[in-house]
Amino acid sequence: MLVERGMQVPSVEVVSDAYAIAANYLRRSGAIPDTVHPNDELVDIVVQLFQRGEFNKLKLANKAISVFEAEHAA
């Protein structure tokens, strides 16, 4: 996490790694299609969780998977 003038600057690497982990799991489980395009809903979930303070990429990925699966468990 970079800090500039008292503001936290989001780490793109943490968000992209967490997205890659979550997307890989969800593709293998069949929850999202296997495409080269990012899943916008999953991206939004990862970014929201990051903005709420989760900076560990593994925890971020696991929470994003849980949220995504809960929203699609109907």
Side-chain angles (χ1 to χ4, degrees):
M1 176 67 60
L2 300 174
V3 178
E4 182 177 313
R5 296 184 191 177
M7 281 182 40
Q8 292 184 346
V9 179
S11 174
V12 174
E13 185 177 346
V14 171
V15 172
S16 65
D17 286 352
Y19 173 82
I21 293 166
N24 186 43
Y25 172 83
L26 292 169
R27 283 188 188 109
R28 288 176 182 245
S29 70
I32 61 175
D34 190 13
T35 65
V36 296
H37 302 288
N39 182 290
D40 292 335
E41 183 179 356
L42 183 58
V43 170
D44 290 341
I45 292 169
V46 171
V47 170
Q48 287 174 5
L49 291 170
F50 182 84
Q51 290 174 339
R52 290 183 195 156
E54 184 56 69
F55 305 121
N56 179 294
K57 66 182 175 185
L58 292 176
K59 287 182 180 180
L60 186 57
N62 285 333
K63 287 180 181 182
I65 291 166
S66 295
V67 171
F68 186 91
E69 288 178 334
E71 290 177 355
H72 293 274

